[in-house]
Amino acid sequence: MVERPYNVLFLCTGNSARSIFGECIVNRFGRGQFNGYSAGSHPKGEVHPLALEVLRRNNYLTDDLRSKDWAEFAEPGAPVMDFVFTVCDRAAAEMCPVWPGQPMTAHWGVPDPAEVEGNEVARMMAFRHAFAALQNRIQIFLSLPLASLDRLKLQRELDAIGRTPLPALEQVEQVQSEAEGR
């Protein structure tokens, strides 16, 4: 019997940047073993333009991305989630829907880049920083030996990933330069 890929849902309040990043990163690096999804408790209705710009600069396709309500994933017929990660403080404190299948959950909070004020460079750096932080955490997650971890050990690992320090801005600039071929 062929096992299905693990389904991973990233939740945030607006589903316009951080959770979208999570969805995209899992779909790229999960290599068919993981399916990434994203949703929000109060979706903005559109993906933030700077989030789209960061994704495009990192060679992600963005045409099919959309801001979605998390209720879509609690409805009958929705994909059954194996993992649900909140990526902002507001979503972590909210009451989440009951997810069929009792997925593993963890909070991987990252500051909201959409709340950063200032010039275009400062705002873009905030989005790059959020992207880099999530990419780092997701790559750690994807490297876990899931088949050999019991639920308790896996929960400890997922919680530890959420405590992984955020990258320094200098690291973000270096990674971005490498991605853009400079």
Side-chain angles (χ1 to χ4, degrees), residues 5-18:
Y6 292 105
N7 291 325
V8 183
L9 178 62
F10 291 89
L11 297 177
C12 201
T13 304
N15 188 223
S16 68
R18 293 164 291 181

Side-chain angles (χ1 to χ4, degrees), residues 24-43:
C24 291
I25 294 165
V26 162
N27 283 329
R28 173 174 285 176
F29 292 106
R31 295 182 187 91
Q33 295 176 338
F34 295 84
N35 294 318
Y37 301 92
S38 69
S41 57
H42 299 92

Side-chain angles (χ1 to χ4, degrees), residues 36-101:
Y37 301 92
S38 69
S41 57
H42 299 92
K44 299 273 187 194
E46 65 181 12
V47 179
H48 196 287
L50 291 178
L52 292 172
E53 181 64 23
V54 167
L55 289 167
R56 286 185 194 117
R57 286 184 181 190
N58 285 280
N59 299 314
Y60 284 85
L61 299 176
T62 61
D63 294 343
D64 295 330
L65 296 176
R66 65 185 179 88
S67 179
K68 305 165 282 305
D69 191 290
W70 65 15
E72 283 188 34
F73 296 97
E75 294 177 2
V80 174
M81 295 300 146
D82 299 293
F83 300 93
V84 177
F85 302 124
T86 55
V87 293
C88 62
D89 293 334
R90 283 174 265 188
E94 293 181 21
M95 290 297 295
C96 292
V98 175
W99 305 108

Side-chain angles (χ1 to χ4, degrees), residues 22 52 132 139 156 167:
L52 292 172
Q139 287 179 323
R156 277 188 245 146

